[in-house]
Amino acid sequence: MTSSYWSPVVRDLAPYVPGEQPRGLDIVKLNTNENPYPPSPRVLEAVRAAADERLRLYPPPEADDLKAVIAAHHGLEIDQVFVGNGSDEVLAHAFFALLNHGRPLLFPDLTYSFYPVYCRLYGIPWREVPLTADYAIDIADYRGDIGGIVIANPNAPTGRALPVSDIEALLASHPGVVVLVDEAYVDFGADSAIGLIARHPNLLVVQTLSKSRALAGLRVGFAAGHRELIEALDRVKNSFNSYPLDRPAIAGAIAAFADEGYFQTQRRRIIASREALVAALSGLGFEVLPSAANFLFARHPQRDGGTLFQALRGQGVLVRHFDRLRTHQFLRITVGTEAQNARLLEVLETLLTEA
Ligand SMILES: *Cc1c(COP(=O)(O)O)cnc(C)c1O
């Protein structure tokens, strides 16, 4: 469909397609990397308490209380933190404000598929750098006259992590451009680059509360970096939407950082389930890439990825399948609860013993 009312920009857009959000409750939903466990009870309490007559008023536009909590948590100053309506929004502002220089932006050929979408939206040229044969990032491949670098660490959909020393080498070899590190999954087993901010003014780290803190529905993400980079994000934000975070979201996010014990327990639980799932899938003959995230990227040497995806779907188990050249034999499987993982394995075992 197109319409003569559409602007030329809209006619050329190729939007991101999120994983399905089915309505049925009996679906085993392992397709969008959500946390299978509820958020901290203290978050729910804080969100409820924030839903009162103050909803009449605009929320604090800079969400300073939340920024102060994030800054303290990561050993930063408040002016080194930016918050937004999910990290997708933070990423969008970063692409527009910091990576938009008319020279190609570099990111891996297999990574978060929102990156090329932002490039098209803002008219940023980009070059996809192929992952190595074993689906890893080789930082030596990131060179040339470029406008910036974007790395998801751990990468999605592969789950593989880069050591912080590699991120530091990238920062040092490209001091003239921003290196954006998207750490959506960092809490499941990678090391954060936030500690490099003091030494590298070209580093922007983006994180989200959607995955490890089980708050995908609340929409809170943040960026950390040198104050000059944060100022650029503020300028874009205040030219777009002054109040990206509502009162319940600010209150819930603050409560999430206050409940460190719950966070640590839940993230360790998911890491343990991931390791058990890797072992079980390997036992069924799957080749599983090493994952530092809350999902696995796996293929079966004798079974077509698309066929397996559809067969699982037919049995009420939803995973993600990317029908592209280097990914179509893989399934991306979110680590679920123990019961969900058991159901996935049971269905896979049946499928693999049939015909
Ligand atoms: C999930 C995800 C995000 C976005 O999360 P929000 O819910 O918008 O905070 C960003 N980057 C990657 C790589 C993701 O997988």
Side-chain angles (χ1 to χ4, degrees):
M1 182 180 53
T2 60
S3 159
S4 58
Y5 296 124
W6 290 9
S7 71
V9 174
V10 166
R11 257 176 256 145
D12 290 340
L13 286 184
Y16 176 74
V17 183
E20 302 171 65
Q21 294 290 353
R23 282 172 181 271
L25 284 177
D26 47 356
I27 300 275
V28 175
K29 191 173 179 307
L30 305 175
N31 68 330
T32 52
N33 298 343
E34 286 144 331
N35 197 307
Y37 300 111
S40 155
R42 286 165 66 176
V43 170
L44 301 183
E45 216 173 283
V47 168
R48 282 192 199 103
D52 63 13
E53 58 163 11
R54 287 170 303 164
L55 286 179
R56 182 173 66 79
L57 302 169
Y58 284 105
E62 303 307 332
D64 277 331
D65 293 353
L66 174 57
K67 282 189 195 168
V69 165
I70 295 171
H73 189 82
H74 288 290
L76 300 166
E77 300 295 324
I78 190 167
D79 60 1
Q80 295 176 301
V81 177
F82 176 84
V83 293
N85 189 256
S87 62
D88 285 339
E89 183 184 82
V90 178
L91 289 167
H93 289 341
F95 272 64
F96 188 73
L98 299 168
L99 303 169
N100 195 355
H101 297 286
R103 296 190 303 279
L105 180 61
L106 303 190
F107 46 80
D109 62 338
L110 301 181
T111 191
Y112 190 34
S113 43
F114 229 131
Y115 304 152
V117 172
Y118 296 133
C119 287
R120 275 194 211 96
L121 177 63
Y122 296 126
I124 304 170
W126 80 92
R127 181 153 59 80
E128 296 183 1
V129 181
L131 294 180
T132 63
D134 53 356
Y135 298 88
I137 290 168
D138 182 347
I139 56 162
D141 297 336
Y142 290 73
R143 49 192 146 74
D145 183 24
I146 61 173
I149 296 173
V150 179
I151 300 280
N153 192 36
N155 195 16
T158 64
R160 296 196 72 137
L162 266 189
V164 168
S165 55
D166 273 6
I167 301 287
E168 180 147 42
L170 266 184
L171 289 161
S173 57
H174 299 278
V177 300
V178 167
V179 176
L180 189 160
V181 184
D182 179 354
E183 296 187 337
Y185 301 101
V186 74
D187 297 325
F188 299 109
D191 291 324
S192 175
I194 287 181
L196 303 177
I197 286 171
R199 272 177 288 144
H200 295 278
N202 57 330
L203 169 63
L204 191 77
V205 177
V206 175
Q207 290 193 8
T208 177
L209 278 68
S210 295
K211 278 60 182 243
S212 59
R213 293 181 192 271
L215 289 170
L218 202 65
R219 312 304 304 131
V220 183
F222 66 91
H226 192 278
R227 49 184 60 81
E228 283 175 16
L229 303 189
I230 299 303
E231 168 72 19
L233 298 177
D234 279 329
R235 284 175 156 234
V236 173
K237 171 236 167 204
N238 288 320
S239 306
F240 181 79
N241 177 4
S242 311
Y243 310 101
L245 294 191
D246 55 63
R247 282 179 189 282
I250 293 170
I254 289 172
F257 283 100
D259 200 350
E260 180 70 13
Y262 184 88
F263 167 69
Q264 292 297 347
T265 306
Q266 297 305 85
R267 111 189 149 86
R268 290 208 188 97
R269 195 170 172 188
I270 290 169
I271 291 170
S273 298
R274 177 186 72 211
E275 296 312 308
L277 192 54
V278 171
L281 287 171
S282 306
L284 291 175
F286 280 90
E287 179 195 336
V288 189
L289 297 190
S291 171
N294 69 335
F295 58 85
L296 299 174
F297 206 47
R299 67 178 160 193
H300 196 284
Q302 278 96 43
R303 299 299 172 124
D304 175 65
T307 310
L308 273 180
F309 165 73
Q310 288 300 347
L312 281 168
R313 199 163 183 278
Q315 298 296 312
V317 178
L318 216 50
V319 299
R320 194 94 200 256
H321 178 246
F322 298 96
D323 201 4
R324 289 182 55 191
L325 190 62
R326 288 185 82 188
T327 55
H328 69 281
Q329 290 310 334
F330 283 88
L331 302 175
R332 194 199 66 190
I333 304 167
T334 306
V335 177
T337 62
E338 266 127 67
Q340 289 178 316
N341 300 341
R343 175 67 188 149
L344 163 81
L345 291 165
E346 180 187 30
V347 173
L348 277 176
E349 202 170 345
T350 313
L351 292 174
L352 292 170
T353 48
E354 280 169 3

